[in-house]
């Protein structure tokens, strides 16, 4: 590959000069992956990525999938404590709109994402020109920052291009992280001319005078503008007041939602230990598994709260909520019903994060910095041992109950959805991240995962909890970690993102190697989660909603299987029907060098009945030990 100076010297037009500047600066800033959807107007940007010796690219024909792959990559980068925005490059027109679901998810869940979109020049806007829409502002209000780059002109200093990229990068990565939008207008010509073309004789382009002010940057290796990371920490006075409030509490709990890094998980654990409070661990906290022997960690908060007598006995008077929103709706309802006089939330962004309107203390702070500052003072709490013991006994009862029921299932019995979630947790290889679809899979893992297994890195698009782009997200996570991943997904989510199986089919399809992804697809022929909603529990059972209408409009049966899809995308395929068969298939898939698809067939009504039985018996087990 040519050096930067050589690439700039060889640029046939100013479009390409600007594109080279943009891509070079992004590489210097640390971009690990450019997710590129093919298109014409984005040609200068795509050629700049292709020519750069250090730029890694994922090329995917589906704009929506490529945007979610960038999102997954950025999620993985966050978990490894390098909040690196991935870059999504796309052409003009409806291509941008296909990125909207990923942009919304990144915005709501604070994931850095840099949207680099190509656009028509201003004289073509609102004229009826082909593939021309109003692109500036399209992603409002979901972006942290947006800028409409003008058509390349020597009247705009080259340094302005670089400082614009640097600002975009900074705004994407600073707390709260999220998407930013650079919309770049290009006039034709977009592609290099044929050698010797009359309109572009060789040697006719000389960018020396234009680029001369950048000599120090061109000859260096660092970004043009280097931003110092802002320190976001809680003020000392507010911490003093919080300490006093926490010390007065008699029945406190630490609720831990989604955390991004192991350092955050450690900080949450240190805070709970200092307070002596039960730590209610969400599946995305990094504490739900791997901490079964910790006396404060409650891994089954969702299931222990199925017991009405236990709920009545564990009404906290203080909650310290760290990280994101927990998956468990039952936990949220319990805390709302208790209305504790102190409900403190710690997050690194300014958003209200209070859907039930019960937050009394709000700290906009980095979690690790908050924990360090809080624990610098005395926060020892005189919590009654019986309070901690009650949570621990209930959690232990549920753990034993699940071991006696799910783990004791005959290995030749049919598979169930709770059992598949548990088996994945138990047999997941240590190097596999766990990517969970936002509907039933994440709920089942939160409820039924074995807490005695090693901790897992868990990823899910639970910011806006959409069905979109789950396969592409898993592909991006695997690339971002440079390690395999297991994706647990339902049939509708898989059908919704079937195009993204192309990202997994061959590690040589793109310029960036694809670690294998093992897809475990639960196929219950429709929308299983609707069977758990009041519409089914009350509407259908009471006769207010005809069963046929529920099945057609909400159950949405499709009658499809995934064997042919696996064959189409050259993925290994397995269809186990028993626990023993699943374990064998999963182990085989996890040891393969390429991606695999494991399809598990279940039945929606039976699945709902099993869930009801497990919840009822779990409630009985908790009530029995806590009476």
């Amino acid at each position: 590959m040519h050096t930067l100076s050589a690439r700039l010297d060889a640029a046939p037009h100013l479009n390409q000069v600007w594109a080279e500047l943009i891509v070079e600066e992004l590489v210097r800033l640390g971009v690990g992956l450019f997710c590129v959807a093919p298109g014409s107007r984005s040609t200068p940007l795509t050629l700049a990525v292709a020519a750069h010796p250090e730029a890694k690219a994922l090329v995917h024909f589906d704009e929506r999938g490529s945007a979610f792959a960038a999102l997954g990559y950025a999620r993985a980068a966050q978990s490894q404590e390098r909040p690196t925005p991935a870059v999504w490059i796309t052409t003009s027109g409806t291509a941008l709109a296909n990125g909207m679901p990923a942009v919304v998810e990144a915005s709501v869940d604070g994931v850095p994402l840099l949207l680099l979109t190509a656009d028509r020049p201003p004289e073509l806007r609102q004229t009826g020109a082909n593939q021309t829409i109003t692109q500036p502002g399209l992603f409002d209000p979901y972006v942290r920052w947006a800028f409409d780059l003008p058509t390349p002109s020597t009247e705009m200093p080259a340094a302005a291009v670089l400082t614009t990229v640097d600002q975009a990068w900074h705004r994407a990565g600073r707390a709260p992280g999220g998407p930013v939008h650079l919309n770049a207008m290009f006039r034709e010509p977009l592609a290099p001319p044929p050698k010797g073309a009359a309109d572009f004789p060789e040697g006719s382009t000389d960018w020396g005078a234009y680029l001369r002010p950048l000599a120090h940057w061109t000859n260096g290796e660092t970004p043009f503008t280097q931003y110092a990371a802002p320190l976001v920490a809680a003020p000392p006075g507010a911490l003093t007041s919080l300490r006093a409030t926490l010390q007065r509490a008699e029945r406190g709990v630490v609720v831990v939602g989604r955390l991004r890094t192991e350092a955050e998980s450690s900080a949450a654990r240190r805070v709970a230990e200092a307070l002596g409070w039960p730590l209610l661990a969400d599946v995305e906290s990094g504490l739900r598994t791997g901490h079964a022997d910790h006396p404060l960690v409650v891994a089954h908060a969702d299931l222990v709260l199925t017991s009405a007598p236990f709920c009545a006995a564990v009404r906290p008077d203080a909650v310290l909520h760290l990280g994101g929103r927990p998956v468990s709706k039952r936990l949220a309802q319990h805390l709302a019903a208790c209305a504790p006089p102190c409900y403190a939330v710690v997050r690194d962004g300014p958003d209200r994060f209070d859907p039930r309107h019960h937050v009394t203390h709000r700290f906009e702070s980095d979690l690790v910095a908050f924990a360090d500052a809080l624990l610098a003072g005395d926060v020892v709490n005189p919590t009654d041992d019986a309070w901690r013991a009650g949570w621990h006994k209930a959690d232990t009862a549920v753990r034993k109950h699940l071991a006696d029921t799910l783990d004791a299932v005959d290995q030749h019995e049919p598979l169930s959805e709770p059992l598949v979630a548990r088996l994945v947790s138990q047999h997941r290889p240590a190097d596999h991240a766990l990517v969970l679809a936002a509907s039933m899979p994440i709920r089942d893992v939160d409820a039924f995962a074995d807490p005695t297994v090693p901790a897992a890195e868990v990823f899910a698009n639970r910011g806006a909890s959409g069905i979109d782009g789950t396969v592409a997200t898993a592909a991006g996570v695997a690339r971002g970690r440079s390690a395999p991943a297991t994706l647990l997904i339902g049939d509708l989510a898989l059908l919704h993102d079937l195009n993204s199986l192309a990202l997994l089919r061959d590690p040589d399809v793109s310029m960036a190697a694809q670690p294998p992804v093992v897809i475990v697809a639960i196929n219950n022929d429709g929308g299983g989660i609707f069977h758990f909603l009041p519409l089914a529990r009350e509407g259908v059972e009471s006769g207010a909603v005809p069963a046929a209408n529920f099945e057609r409009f909400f159950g949405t049966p499709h009658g499809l299987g995934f064997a042919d899809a696996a064959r189409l995308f050259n993925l290994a395929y397995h269809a186990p029907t028993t626990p023993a068969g699943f374990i064998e298939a999963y182990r085989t898939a996890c040891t393969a060098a390429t991606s695999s698809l494991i399809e598990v067939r279940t039945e929606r009504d039976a699945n709902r009945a099993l869930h009801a039985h497990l919840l009822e018996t779990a409630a009985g087990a908790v009530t029995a030990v806590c009476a």
Side-chain angles (χ1 to χ4, degrees):
M1 291 287 188
H2 297 298
T3 65
L4 173 61
S5 295
R7 296 198 304 275
L8 290 171
D9 290 343
H13 42 65
L14 199 56
N15 287 340
Q16 199 60 46
V17 171
W18 277 32
E20 297 289 348
L21 294 176
I22 290 169
V23 170
E24 173 67 24
E25 188 72 342
L26 287 170
V27 170
R28 292 188 186 193
L29 286 163
V31 166
L33 188 66
F34 293 86
C35 296
V36 181
S40 175
R41 191 59 54 166
S42 54
T43 294
L45 296 168
T46 300
L47 292 180
V49 171
H52 199 291
E54 298 176 40
K56 295 181 179 178
L58 177 156
V59 181
H60 186 36
F61 50 78
D62 180 1
E63 291 92 354
R64 185 185 68 187
S66 61
F68 271 102
L71 173 70
Y73 184 93
R75 282 195 184 281
Q78 279 185 319
S79 76
Q80 297 173 63
E81 302 189 49
R82 48 179 182 85
T84 304
V87 176
W88 179 57
I89 295 178
T90 192
T91 192
S92 62
T94 60
L96 274 74
N98 281 295
M100 180 63 86
V103 173
V104 171
E105 176 64 27
S107 179
V108 175
D109 215 19
V111 182
L113 198 62
L114 201 155
L115 318 168
L116 185 52
T117 63
D119 198 356
R120 259 58 177 178
E123 64 269 18
L124 293 183
R125 291 179 174 179
Q126 300 186 26
T127 66
N130 185 47
Q131 206 170 325
T132 305
I133 66 172
T134 303
Q135 296 185 187
L138 181 68
F139 297 121
D140 291 348
Y142 297 106
V143 292
R144 302 292 185 260
W145 187 71
F147 192 82
D148 197 27
L149 275 170
T151 53
S153 167
T154 54
E155 294 182 0
M156 180 172 172
V161 178
L162 300 179
T163 63
T164 301
V165 171
D166 295 337
Q167 171 69 182
W169 177 270
H170 175 66
R171 296 291 284 271
R174 76 180 300 275
V180 298
H181 182 199
L182 284 184
N183 189 58
M185 292 185 280
F186 294 116
R187 288 191 177 96
E188 293 184 348
L190 304 170
K195 287 188 176 182
D199 293 341
F200 297 93
E202 292 188 40
S204 66
T205 56
D206 182 2
W207 312 113
Y210 179 62
L211 297 173
R212 191 168 297 119
L214 296 184
H216 69 288
W217 175 84
T218 305
N219 296 324
E221 297 179 351
T222 58
F224 190 88
T225 305
Q226 300 181 58
Y227 284 83
L231 177 63
V232 182
L239 283 173
T240 300
S241 175
L242 179 65
R243 286 193 199 98
T245 301
L246 299 181
Q247 287 173 329
R248 289 193 298 269
E250 296 179 358
R251 300 178 307 281
V253 293
V254 177
V255 174
V256 186
R258 181 175 90 85
L259 300 179
R260 301 184 182 99
T261 67
E262 188 174 337
E264 290 184 338
S265 298
S266 176
R269 191 176 62 246
R270 287 191 289 121
V271 169
E273 290 167 350
L275 290 167
W277 290 0
L279 187 159
L280 313 187
D282 179 70
V283 65
E284 290 188 89
S285 68
L287 299 166
R288 169 65 177 78
T289 58
H291 297 82
D293 295 330
H294 198 291
L296 295 177
V297 173
V298 178
H300 300 98
D302 181 71
L303 291 183
V304 300
L305 293 173
T306 56
S307 167
F310 181 73
C311 287
V314 290
R315 298 178 63 86
D317 58 5
V319 175
L320 182 57
H321 187 143
L322 308 177
R325 181 181 65 248
V327 168
S328 173
K329 185 176 181 180
R330 192 173 289 110
L331 172 59
Q333 291 172 331
H334 175 67
L335 296 177
C338 294
C342 171
Y343 197 109
V345 170
V346 181
R347 284 171 61 84
D348 62 3
D351 295 338
R352 183 160 45 164
F353 196 71
D354 186 17
R356 297 181 184 272
H357 307 288
H358 56 194
V359 172
T360 61
H361 299 71
R362 181 70 168 82
F363 291 86
E364 183 179 346
S365 174
D366 172 83
L367 178 54
V368 176
F370 172 86
D372 291 343
L374 181 71
L375 301 184
D378 183 13
V379 292
V380 175
N381 184 280
T383 301
D384 191 324
D385 286 345
W387 171 253
R388 291 187 292 266
W391 282 97
H392 183 69
K393 286 170 61 179
D395 193 49
T396 302
V398 171
R399 187 198 310 180
K400 183 178 185 302
H401 166 66
L402 294 179
D404 291 344
T405 52
L406 293 179
D407 293 348
V409 168
D410 188 289
Q411 292 297 294
H412 301 289
E413 290 290 318
L415 285 163
S416 69
E417 296 182 28
L419 181 56
V420 170
R422 190 165 178 87
L423 290 174
V424 167
S425 76
Q426 291 172 331
H427 297 279
R428 175 193 61 86
D431 62 341
H432 273 233
L434 189 55
V435 183
L436 303 174
S439 189
M440 286 304 296
I442 194 168
R443 290 174 169 85
D444 281 347
V445 173
D446 186 56
F448 304 117
D450 187 343
T452 66
V453 301
E457 280 192 85
V458 177
F459 300 90
N461 289 335
R462 285 285 295 179
S465 298
I467 197 174
D468 323 73
T470 311
V471 176
T473 299
V477 165
R479 277 185 166 88
R481 294 177 69 251
S482 298
T486 292
L487 167 62
L488 183 60
I489 188 171
D491 51 320
L492 293 187
L494 180 52
L495 287 170
H496 200 276
D497 200 27
L498 207 62
N499 280 350
S500 293
L501 291 178
L503 293 169
L504 310 181
R505 64 182 174 180
D506 184 344
D508 296 324
V509 164
S510 76
M511 295 162 58
Q514 172 63 57
V517 174
V518 176
I519 300 175
V520 179
I522 305 294
N523 188 351
N524 54 31
D525 193 27
I529 195 169
F530 288 103
H531 289 259
F532 294 84
L533 300 180
L535 178 70
R537 292 198 313 267
E538 300 163 12
V540 175
E541 291 181 1
S542 70
V545 176
N549 288 352
F550 173 84
E551 182 67 0
R552 178 186 176 193
F553 289 99
F554 297 94
T556 57
H558 49 77
L560 301 173
F562 296 105
D564 288 337
R567 188 176 303 112
L568 174 64
F569 292 101
N570 197 29
L571 304 178
Y573 176 79
H574 309 269
T577 59
T578 65
F582 178 83
I583 293 170
E584 180 181 0
Y586 186 49
R587 287 177 175 170
T588 299
C590 289
T591 56
T594 55
S595 297
S596 305
L597 195 159
I598 301 172
E599 181 175 11
V600 177
R601 297 269 190 169
T602 63
E603 199 277 325
R604 281 181 274 125
D605 287 330
N607 179 54
R608 179 190 167 190
L610 176 60
H611 275 79
H613 172 72
L614 289 171
L615 266 60
E616 180 182 355
T617 51
V622 172
T623 301
V625 301
C626 297

